[in-house]
Amino acid sequence: MAENLQAEPVKLVVAALCSSPGALEKSLEGLRACRGTIDHQGPAHPFTLTDYYREEMGEKLARSIVSFQLPVSPGELVNFKQECVELEQELAGEAGNRSANLDAGYLDHGKLVLASLKPAGQKIYLGQGVYADLVARYGGGKYRPFEWTFPDFTAGVYDEDLAKIRQLYLQQLRG
């Protein structure tokens, strides 16, 4: 009989796409209220490689990658995605347009996973309407994207952030 083995903890991350610095700050406040201390906040990079969110969120979008201090079970991804969706709705304008798109996810020593509410061929259903989207695998000193990965991740915009977050994660596991 197999023992009930626990999964290794993972590092929660959010790819926070926001319409303004104020929207980012409000998003970070809400994320801290949900998940505690943020131990890495990357710079806000201009979001220019696609116009997918432009109509809803505006012209001058920027994305920051943040991570949270406490490692958790990968099974928390469903709850975390739902918390992020609720926060997006709270921060939305009167017309219902979002000021923030908060892509919840996690990384571990070997992969980067983002949660999604949209099905696709590479996504795995987790429950409660949430899918796991394998965005990158770790190899050769960095997270390497797949052909379906978002253009800004594929372009390496967040490579430094992900390397720093991975270093924090590995220190916590040793810790």
Side-chain angles (χ1 to χ4, degrees), residues 47-106:
F47 189 79
T48 58
L49 297 176
T50 178
D51 60 1
Y52 183 82
Y53 297 96
R54 186 176 295 156
E55 186 176 329
E56 178 186 9
M57 297 179 66
E59 296 283 327
K60 299 202 181 216
L61 302 177
R63 181 154 25 203
S64 266
I65 307 295
V66 299
S67 68
F68 297 86
Q69 186 171 23
L70 295 177
V72 300
S73 166
E76 271 297 298
L77 186 57
V78 170
N79 293 331
F80 189 39
K81 177 63 176 175
Q82 291 174 336
E83 291 166 1
C84 287
V85 168
E86 289 173 16
L87 182 55
E88 288 175 2
Q89 292 169 348
E90 288 174 23
L91 298 174
E94 289 184 24
N97 290 348
R98 294 179 295 173
S99 62
N101 178 37
L102 305 173
D103 285 327
Y106 68 77

Coordinates of all heavy atoms in Angstrom, one line a residue, residues 47-106:
F47 N 3.9 46.6 -21.1 CA 3.3 45.4 -21.7 C 2.9 45.8 -23.1 O 1.9 46.3 -23.4 CB 2.0 45.0 -20.9 CG 1.4 43.7 -21.2 CD1 1.9 42.5 -20.8 CD2 0.3 43.7 -22.0 CE1 1.3 41.3 -21.2 CE2 -0.4 42.5 -22.4 CZ 0.2 41.3 -22.0
T48 N 3.9 45.5 -24.0 CA 3.7 46.0 -25.4 C 3.7 44.9 -26.5 O 3.6 45.2 -27.6 CB 4.9 47.0 -25.7 OG1 6.1 46.3 -25.5 CG2 4.8 48.2 -24.8
L49 N 3.9 43.6 -26.1 CA 4.1 42.6 -27.1 C 2.8 42.0 -27.6 O 2.7 41.2 -28.5 CB 5.0 41.5 -26.6 CG 6.4 41.9 -26.3 CD1 7.2 40.8 -25.7 CD2 7.1 42.4 -27.5
T50 N 1.7 42.5 -27.0 CA 0.3 42.1 -27.5 C -0.6 43.2 -27.0 O -0.4 43.9 -26.1 CB -0.1 40.7 -26.9 OG1 -1.5 40.5 -27.3 CG2 -0.1 40.7 -25.4
D51 N -1.7 43.4 -27.8 CA -2.7 44.3 -27.4 C -4.0 43.7 -26.9 O -5.1 44.3 -26.9 CB -3.0 45.3 -28.6 CG -3.6 44.6 -29.8 OD1 -3.7 43.3 -29.8 OD2 -3.8 45.2 -30.8
Y52 N -3.9 42.4 -26.5 CA -5.0 41.6 -26.1 C -5.9 42.3 -25.0 O -7.1 42.2 -25.0 CB -4.5 40.3 -25.5 CG -5.6 39.3 -25.1 CD1 -6.3 38.5 -26.1 CD2 -6.0 39.2 -23.8 CE1 -7.3 37.6 -25.7 CE2 -7.0 38.3 -23.4 CZ -7.6 37.5 -24.4 OH -8.6 36.7 -24.0
Y53 N -5.3 43.0 -24.0 CA -6.0 43.6 -22.9 C -6.3 45.1 -23.1 O -6.9 45.7 -22.3 CB -5.2 43.4 -21.6 CG -5.0 42.0 -21.2 CD1 -3.9 41.3 -21.5 CD2 -6.1 41.3 -20.5 CE1 -3.7 40.0 -21.2 CE2 -5.9 40.0 -20.2 CZ -4.8 39.3 -20.5 OH -4.6 38.0 -20.2
R54 N -5.8 45.7 -24.2 CA -5.9 47.1 -24.4 C -7.3 47.7 -24.4 O -7.6 48.7 -23.7 CB -5.3 47.5 -25.8 CG -5.2 49.0 -25.9 CD -4.5 49.4 -27.2 NE -3.1 49.0 -27.1 CZ -2.3 48.7 -28.1 NH1 -2.7 48.9 -29.3 NH2 -1.0 48.4 -27.9
E55 N -8.3 47.0 -25.0 CA -9.6 47.5 -25.1 C -10.2 47.6 -23.7 O -10.9 48.5 -23.3 CB -10.5 46.7 -26.0 CG -11.9 47.2 -26.2 CD -12.7 46.4 -27.1 OE1 -12.2 45.9 -28.1 OE2 -14.0 46.4 -27.0
E56 N -10.0 46.5 -22.9 CA -10.6 46.5 -21.5 C -9.8 47.4 -20.5 O -10.4 48.0 -19.7 CB -10.6 45.1 -21.0 CG -11.1 45.0 -19.6 CD -11.0 43.6 -19.0 OE1 -10.4 42.7 -19.6 OE2 -11.6 43.4 -17.9
M57 N -8.5 47.4 -20.6 CA -7.7 47.9 -19.5 C -7.0 49.2 -19.9 O -6.4 49.9 -19.0 CB -6.7 46.9 -19.0 CG -7.3 45.7 -18.4 SD -6.2 44.4 -17.9 CE -5.3 45.3 -16.6
G58 N -6.9 49.6 -21.2 CA -6.3 50.8 -21.5 C -4.9 50.6 -22.3 O -4.5 49.5 -22.6
E59 N -4.3 51.7 -22.5 CA -3.1 51.8 -23.4 C -1.8 51.5 -22.7 O -0.9 50.9 -23.2 CB -3.0 53.1 -24.1 CG -4.2 53.4 -25.0 CD -4.0 52.7 -26.3 OE1 -2.9 52.5 -26.8 OE2 -5.1 52.3 -26.9
K60 N -1.6 52.1 -21.5 CA -0.3 52.1 -20.8 C -0.2 51.0 -19.8 O -0.1 51.3 -18.6 CB 0.0 53.4 -20.2 CG 0.0 54.5 -21.3 CD 0.8 55.7 -20.9 CE 0.7 56.7 -22.0 NZ 1.9 57.4 -22.2
L61 N -0.3 49.7 -20.2 CA -0.2 48.6 -19.3 C 1.2 48.2 -18.9 O 2.1 48.4 -19.8 CB -0.9 47.4 -19.9 CG -2.4 47.6 -20.3 CD1 -2.9 46.4 -21.0 CD2 -3.2 48.0 -19.1
A62 N 1.4 47.7 -17.7 CA 2.7 47.2 -17.3 C 2.5 46.0 -16.4 O 1.4 45.9 -15.8 CB 3.4 48.3 -16.5
R63 N 3.5 45.1 -16.5 CA 3.3 43.9 -15.7 C 4.5 43.7 -14.8 O 5.7 44.0 -15.2 CB 3.3 42.6 -16.6 CG 3.1 41.4 -15.8 CD 2.5 40.2 -16.3 NE 2.4 39.8 -17.7 CZ 1.5 39.0 -18.2 NH1 0.6 38.5 -17.3 NH2 1.4 38.6 -19.4
S64 N 4.2 43.4 -13.5 CA 5.2 43.1 -12.5 C 5.1 41.7 -12.0 O 3.9 41.2 -11.9 CB 5.0 44.0 -11.3 OG 5.8 45.1 -11.3
I65 N 6.2 41.0 -11.6 CA 6.1 39.7 -11.1 C 6.4 39.8 -9.6 O 7.4 40.5 -9.2 CB 7.2 38.8 -11.7 CG1 7.0 38.7 -13.2 CG2 7.1 37.4 -11.1 CD1 5.7 38.2 -13.8
V66 N 5.5 39.3 -8.8 CA 5.7 39.3 -7.3 C 5.6 37.8 -6.8 O 5.0 37.0 -7.4 CB 4.7 40.2 -6.6 CG1 4.8 41.6 -7.0 CG2 3.2 39.6 -6.8
S67 N 6.3 37.6 -5.6 CA 6.2 36.3 -5.0 C 6.0 36.5 -3.5 O 6.2 37.6 -2.9 CB 7.5 35.5 -5.2 OG 8.6 36.1 -4.5
F68 N 5.5 35.5 -2.9 CA 5.1 35.5 -1.5 C 6.0 34.7 -0.6 O 6.5 33.7 -1.0 CB 3.6 35.0 -1.3 CG 2.7 35.9 -2.1 CD1 2.5 35.7 -3.4 CD2 2.1 37.0 -1.5 CE1 1.6 36.6 -4.1 CE2 1.3 37.9 -2.2 CZ 1.1 37.7 -3.5
Q69 N 6.2 35.2 0.6 CA 7.2 34.6 1.5 C 7.0 33.1 1.8 O 8.0 32.4 1.8 CB 7.3 35.4 2.8 CG 8.4 35.0 3.7 CD 8.6 36.0 4.8 OE1 7.7 36.7 5.2 NE2 9.8 36.0 5.4
L70 N 5.8 32.8 2.1 CA 5.6 31.4 2.6 C 5.3 30.4 1.5 O 4.3 30.5 0.8 CB 4.4 31.4 3.6 CG 4.6 32.2 4.9 CD1 3.3 32.2 5.7 CD2 5.7 31.7 5.7
P71 N 6.1 29.4 1.4 CA 5.8 28.3 0.4 C 4.6 27.6 0.9 O 4.3 27.5 2.1 CB 7.1 27.4 0.5 CG 8.2 28.3 1.1 CD 7.5 29.2 2.0
V72 N 3.8 27.1 -0.1 CA 2.6 26.4 0.1 C 2.5 25.1 -0.7 O 3.3 24.9 -1.6 CB 1.4 27.3 -0.2 CG1 1.4 28.6 0.6 CG2 1.3 27.6 -1.7
S73 N 1.5 24.3 -0.4 CA 1.2 23.1 -1.3 C 0.8 23.6 -2.7 O 0.0 24.6 -2.8 CB 0.1 22.3 -0.6 OG -0.4 21.4 -1.6
P74 N 1.2 22.9 -3.7 CA 0.7 23.2 -5.1 C -0.8 23.1 -5.2 O -1.4 23.7 -6.1 CB 1.5 22.3 -6.0 CG 2.0 21.2 -5.1 CD 2.1 21.7 -3.7
G75 N -1.4 22.4 -4.3 CA -2.8 22.2 -4.3 C -3.6 23.5 -4.0 O -4.8 23.7 -4.2
E76 N -2.8 24.5 -3.5 CA -3.4 25.8 -3.2 C -3.7 26.7 -4.4 O -4.3 27.8 -4.3 CB -2.5 26.6 -2.2 CG -2.7 26.4 -0.8 CD -4.0 26.8 -0.3 OE1 -4.4 28.0 -0.4 OE2 -4.8 25.9 0.1
L77 N -3.2 26.3 -5.6 CA -3.3 27.1 -6.8 C -4.8 27.4 -7.1 O -5.1 28.6 -7.5 CB -2.7 26.4 -8.0 CG -2.6 27.2 -9.2 CD1 -1.9 28.6 -9.0 CD2 -1.9 26.5 -10.3
V78 N -5.7 26.5 -6.9 CA -7.1 26.8 -7.2 C -7.6 27.9 -6.3 O -8.2 28.9 -6.8 CB -8.0 25.5 -7.0 CG1 -9.5 25.8 -7.1 CG2 -7.6 24.5 -8.1
N79 N -7.4 27.8 -5.0 CA -7.8 28.8 -4.1 C -7.2 30.2 -4.4 O -7.8 31.2 -4.3 CB -7.5 28.4 -2.6 CG -8.3 27.3 -2.2 OD1 -9.4 27.0 -2.6 ND2 -7.8 26.5 -1.2
F80 N -5.9 30.1 -4.7 CA -5.2 31.4 -5.0 C -5.7 32.1 -6.2 O -5.9 33.3 -6.2 CB -3.7 31.1 -5.1 CG -2.8 32.3 -5.2 CD1 -3.0 33.4 -4.4 CD2 -1.7 32.2 -6.0 CE1 -2.2 34.5 -4.5 CE2 -0.8 33.3 -6.1 CZ -1.1 34.5 -5.4
K81 N -6.0 31.3 -7.2 CA -6.6 31.9 -8.5 C -8.0 32.5 -8.1 O -8.2 33.6 -8.6 CB -6.7 30.8 -9.6 CG -7.4 31.3 -10.8 CD -6.6 32.4 -11.5 CE -7.2 32.9 -12.8 NZ -6.5 34.0 -13.4
Q82 N -8.8 31.8 -7.4 CA -10.1 32.4 -7.0 C -9.9 33.7 -6.2 O -10.7 34.6 -6.4 CB -10.9 31.4 -6.3 CG -11.3 30.2 -7.2 CD -12.0 29.1 -6.5 OE1 -11.9 28.9 -5.3 NE2 -12.8 28.4 -7.2
E83 N -9.0 33.7 -5.3 CA -8.7 35.0 -4.6 C -8.3 36.1 -5.5 O -8.8 37.3 -5.3 CB -7.6 34.8 -3.5 CG -8.0 33.8 -2.4 CD -6.8 33.4 -1.6 OE1 -5.6 33.7 -1.9 OE2 -7.0 32.6 -0.6
C84 N -7.5 35.8 -6.5 CA -7.1 36.8 -7.5 C -8.2 37.3 -8.3 O -8.3 38.5 -8.6 CB -5.9 36.3 -8.3 SG -4.3 36.2 -7.4
V85 N -9.1 36.4 -8.7 CA -10.3 36.8 -9.5 C -11.2 37.7 -8.7 O -11.7 38.8 -9.2 CB -11.0 35.6 -10.0 CG1 -12.4 36.0 -10.6 CG2 -10.2 34.8 -11.1
E86 N -11.4 37.4 -7.4 CA -12.2 38.2 -6.6 C -11.6 39.6 -6.4 O -12.3 40.6 -6.4 CB -12.4 37.6 -5.2 CG -13.3 36.4 -5.2 CD -13.4 35.6 -3.9 OE1 -12.9 36.1 -2.9 OE2 -13.9 34.4 -3.9
L87 N -10.3 39.7 -6.2 CA -9.6 40.9 -6.1 C -9.7 41.8 -7.4 O -10.0 43.0 -7.3 CB -8.1 40.7 -5.7 CG -7.3 41.9 -5.5 CD1 -7.9 42.9 -4.4 CD2 -5.9 41.5 -5.1
E88 N -9.6 41.1 -8.5 CA -9.7 41.8 -9.8 C -11.1 42.5 -9.9 O -11.3 43.6 -10.3 CB -9.6 40.9 -11.0 CG -8.2 40.4 -11.2 CD -8.2 39.3 -12.3 OE1 -9.2 39.0 -12.9 OE2 -7.0 38.9 -12.6
Q89 N -12.1 41.7 -9.4 CA -13.5 42.2 -9.5 C -13.7 43.4 -8.5 O -14.4 44.4 -8.8 CB -14.5 41.1 -9.2 CG -14.5 40.1 -10.3 CD -15.3 38.8 -9.9 OE1 -15.6 38.6 -8.7 NE2 -15.5 38.0 -10.9
E90 N -13.1 43.3 -7.3 CA -13.2 44.4 -6.3 C -12.5 45.7 -6.9 O -13.0 46.8 -6.6 CB -12.5 44.0 -5.0 CG -13.2 43.0 -4.2 CD -12.4 42.5 -3.0 OE1 -11.5 43.3 -2.6 OE2 -12.7 41.4 -2.5
L91 N -11.5 45.5 -7.6 CA -10.7 46.7 -8.1 C -11.3 47.2 -9.5 O -10.8 48.3 -9.9 CB -9.2 46.3 -8.3 CG -8.5 45.9 -7.0 CD1 -7.1 45.5 -7.3 CD2 -8.5 47.1 -6.0
A92 N -12.2 46.5 -10.1 CA -12.7 46.9 -11.4 C -13.5 48.2 -11.3 O -14.1 48.6 -10.2 CB -13.7 45.8 -11.9
G93 N -13.5 49.0 -12.4 CA -14.2 50.2 -12.4 C -15.7 50.0 -12.5 O -16.2 48.9 -12.6
E94 N -16.5 51.1 -12.5 CA -17.9 51.0 -12.5 C -18.5 50.3 -13.7 O -19.5 49.7 -13.7 CB -18.5 52.4 -12.4 CG -18.3 53.0 -11.0 CD -19.0 54.3 -10.8 OE1 -20.0 54.6 -11.6 OE2 -18.6 55.1 -9.9
A95 N -17.8 50.4 -14.8 CA -18.2 49.8 -16.1 C -17.9 48.3 -16.1 O -18.2 47.6 -17.1 CB -17.6 50.5 -17.3
G96 N -17.2 47.8 -15.0 CA -16.8 46.4 -15.0 C -15.4 46.1 -15.6 O -15.0 45.0 -15.6
N97 N -14.8 47.2 -16.2 CA -13.5 47.0 -16.7 C -12.4 46.8 -15.6 O -12.4 47.6 -14.7 CB -13.1 48.1 -17.6 CG -13.9 48.2 -18.9 OD1 -14.6 47.2 -19.2 ND2 -13.8 49.3 -19.6
R98 N -11.6 45.8 -15.8 CA -10.5 45.6 -14.8 C -9.4 46.6 -14.9 O -9.0 47.0 -16.0 CB -9.9 44.2 -15.0 CG -10.9 43.1 -14.7 CD -10.3 41.7 -14.9 NE -9.9 41.5 -16.3 CZ -9.2 40.5 -16.8 NH1 -8.8 39.6 -16.0 NH2 -9.0 40.4 -18.1
S99 N -8.9 47.0 -13.8 CA -7.7 47.8 -13.7 C -6.4 46.9 -13.5 O -5.3 47.4 -13.6 CB -7.8 48.9 -12.6 OG -7.9 48.3 -11.4
A100 N -6.7 45.6 -13.1 CA -5.6 44.7 -12.9 C -6.1 43.3 -13.4 O -7.2 42.9 -13.2 CB -5.3 44.6 -11.4
N101 N -5.1 42.6 -14.0 CA -5.3 41.2 -14.4 C -4.2 40.5 -13.6 O -3.0 40.6 -13.8 CB -5.1 41.0 -15.9 CG -5.2 39.6 -16.3 OD1 -6.0 38.8 -15.7 ND2 -4.3 39.2 -17.2
L102 N -4.6 39.7 -12.6 CA -3.7 39.1 -11.7 C -3.6 37.6 -12.0 O -4.4 36.8 -11.6 CB -4.2 39.3 -10.2 CG -4.4 40.7 -9.9 CD1 -5.1 40.9 -8.5 CD2 -3.1 41.5 -9.9
D103 N -2.5 37.2 -12.7 CA -2.3 35.8 -13.1 C -1.6 35.1 -11.9 O -0.4 35.3 -11.7 CB -1.4 35.7 -14.3 CG -2.2 36.1 -15.6 OD1 -3.4 35.8 -15.6 OD2 -1.7 36.6 -16.5
A104 N -2.4 34.3 -11.2 CA -1.9 33.6 -10.0 C -1.1 32.4 -10.6 O -1.4 31.8 -11.6 CB -3.0 33.1 -9.2
G105 N 0.0 32.0 -9.8 CA 0.7 30.8 -10.2 C 1.7 30.4 -9.2 O 1.7 30.9 -8.0
Y106 N 2.6 29.5 -9.5 CA 3.7 29.1 -8.7 C 4.9 28.7 -9.5 O 4.8 28.4 -10.7 CB 3.2 28.0 -7.7 CG 3.0 26.6 -8.3 CD1 4.0 25.8 -8.6 CD2 1.7 26.2 -8.4 CE1 3.7 24.5 -9.2 CE2 1.4 24.9 -8.9 CZ 2.4 24.1 -9.3 OH 2.2 22.8 -9.8

